[in-house]
Amino acid sequence: MRRHTKVVVCGNTYIGGQHPISVQSMTTTDTRNAKATINQIKELQDAGCDIVRLAVPNIEAAQTLSTIKKEINIPIIADIHFDYRLAIEAAKSGVDGLRLNPGNIGDRNRVKEIVKLAQSKNMKIRIGVNAGSLEKELLIKYGKPTADAMVESALAHIDILEELNFSNTVISLKASNVQLTIDAYKKIAEKTNYPLHIGITEAGTIWGGTIKSSIGIGALLLQGIGDTIRVSLTGNPVQEVSVGREILKSLGLIKNEITIISCPTCGRCQIDLISLVNEIEEQIKEIKKPLKVAIMGCAVNGPGEASDADIGIAGGVNSALLFKKGEIISRVPENEIIKILINEINNM
């Protein structure tokens, strides 16, 4: 059962409550290069990204945000560290949210100025606590980054915003260690009803990072914790979105997309199942239908084991059985498998 939270507005997207869990990513371009950044965001949009974060290291980058904002359709979050002037300029440029820690911005008047602008523009603020950048006093108190230290840091930042009557807030507590991340989110979930942005930070390469993120994010989502996610990978951010959406789909949290089930192949397989699966997956990725499609190597694990699939094929000698809900419909030649299966899916 999903954890009940308040609802936070982020542009045209709602986070928390019973709203769909959104997928986020972050651009890797120089934000000052508006054209390159816009092109990358459009690629992320096409991949299914719901919210995008941009680094804002200087005033020029903050000012470029207004140009970028006009060309895209998903909410923009400005990633701010330490310099309150960048947050002010980003807000003036029309971003939909800020990622910052108010305790690191400076004196109360500076935080108050940011909050006032955020309130007037209905922007969200994400408090982003990372295990690798905890306050020195917390490291001294706890001896090392711990879940309790991360939670204490987050609650202190929340207190600052609440004292200024600001509550359009999302929280993240990330670490590169999966267990530490899970522990921190479980603890914060018991102490507040703000929506949680979950992920494993600095997860690593496409291969290793996908595994770590799937375990960490999946474990939390299975416990009902998490309202928006980001898969942090060292690679093309489009791949972050693809992995994030696949995690949600595997847990039944994305309904209107095709799910493929396929066997790992064995000595019984007499067709090129690997190429077949890859080609079919590529061709159906744009089809928005809540279908389960089975691509199986042989009759042994075909219609029987995949009887709950809406449609599927089971390989044979130079051919395949086409079946629906476990019932065999016809036998199709190997060179026509893809065409016939895609046609059947489009007609369902």
Side-chain angles (χ1 to χ4, degrees):
M1 184 175 179
R2 187 171 166 189
R3 168 178 167 266
H4 178 73
T5 74
K6 72 190 300 289
V7 176
V8 166
V9 179
C10 182
N12 57 11
T13 300
Y14 293 88
I15 301 172
Q18 294 305 306
H19 292 280
I21 295 170
S22 53
V23 176
Q24 302 197 26
S25 186
M26 187 172 184
T27 54
T28 57
T29 55
D30 184 336
T31 305
R32 294 172 296 181
N33 186 335
K35 183 177 180 180
T37 303
I38 290 166
N39 287 341
Q40 189 172 75
I41 294 173
K42 287 182 176 179
E43 290 179 1
L44 292 168
Q45 287 178 182
D46 291 343
C49 185
D50 299 302
I51 300 170
V52 64
R53 180 160 50 108
L54 287 71
V56 184
N58 51 47
I59 289 294
E60 185 181 351
Q63 292 171 338
T64 306
L65 292 171
S66 60
T67 301
I68 296 169
K69 176 66 177 172
K70 294 173 185 176
E71 300 295 325
I72 66 167
N73 301 317
I74 58 176
I76 284 181
I77 307 298
D79 191 71
I80 308 293
H81 291 274
F82 307 116
D83 192 339
Y84 86 103
R85 294 169 299 179
L86 300 181
I88 297 297
E89 195 63 41
K92 290 179 178 179
S93 293
V95 298
D96 302 287
L98 302 170
R99 187 275 191 188
L100 55 81
N101 291 335
N104 297 336
I105 290 296
D107 65 39
R108 184 181 176 86
N109 288 332
R110 291 177 176 179
V111 178
K112 188 174 182 179
E113 188 176 351
I114 294 170
V115 168
K116 185 177 179 181
L117 257 179
Q119 287 173 325
S120 68
K121 296 177 178 292
N122 200 28
M123 293 165 51
K124 87 164 178 77
I125 292 177
R126 171 161 72 91
I127 292 172
V129 173
N130 279 358
S133 55
L134 285 170
E135 295 88 336
K136 289 182 180 178
E137 58 270 25
L138 290 176
L139 290 175
I140 293 171
K141 177 179 178 179
Y142 290 96
K144 63 179 181 179
T146 66
D148 288 327
M150 294 169 70
V151 170
E152 186 171 332
S153 176
L155 293 176
H157 293 302
I158 291 169
D159 286 344
I160 294 171
L161 295 181
E162 289 183 342
E163 287 171 5
L164 295 170
N165 297 315
F166 187 88
S167 61
N168 200 42
T169 308
V170 174
I171 306 167
S172 68
L173 303 92
K174 297 182 182 180
S176 59
N177 180 285
V178 174
Q179 189 62 62
L180 176 57
T181 301
I182 292 172
D183 291 344
Y185 277 111
K186 288 172 67 176
K187 287 177 178 291
I188 197 74
E190 294 173 352
K191 295 179 178 294
T192 178
N193 71 338
Y194 285 109
L196 297 178
H197 168 121
I198 64 173
I200 307 298
T201 194
E202 300 156 359
T205 62
I206 302 300
W207 169 248
T210 292
I211 294 171
K212 286 179 70 174
S213 297
S214 298
I215 294 170
I217 293 172
L220 288 166
L221 291 174
L222 284 170
Q223 296 177 72
I225 297 172
D227 305 284
T228 181
I229 69 172
R230 191 239 171 142
V231 176
S232 299
L233 301 176
T234 306
N236 188 327
V238 170
Q239 293 171 305
E240 296 185 347
V241 177
S242 298
V243 174
R245 293 187 65 81
E246 196 62 33
I247 291 172
L248 295 180
K249 191 162 63 171
S250 71
L251 297 175
L253 297 171
I254 290 180
K255 304 292 187 182
N256 196 35
E257 287 189 11
I258 292 177
T259 298
I260 290 179
I261 60 173
S262 60
C263 70
T265 79
C266 69
R268 288 188 294 266
C269 185
Q270 299 185 66
I271 61 172
D272 184 0
L273 190 72
I274 296 173
S275 297
L276 200 65
V277 171
N278 289 334
E279 179 63 27
I280 292 170
E281 183 177 56
E282 180 64 25
Q283 290 201 29
I284 67 176
K285 66 181 182 181
E286 303 297 331
I287 300 176
K288 301 300 181 183
K289 294 183 178 182
L291 299 175
K292 182 181 288 187
V293 176
I295 307 168
M296 313 302 277
C298 69
V300 171
N301 54 13
E305 289 191 19
S307 60
D308 64 331
D310 296 289
I311 188 169
I313 62 99
V317 180
N318 300 319
S319 65
L321 298 175
L322 178 71
F323 58 90
K324 293 182 179 180
K325 293 292 185 182
E327 180 182 348
I328 297 173
I329 304 301
S330 64
R331 182 180 292 275
V332 298
E334 185 172 1
N335 63 353
E336 294 185 22
I337 292 173
I338 295 175
K339 181 181 70 174
I340 291 173
L341 181 61
I342 298 297
N343 185 60
E344 290 286 341
I345 289 171
N346 284 324
N347 290 331
M348 292 179 75

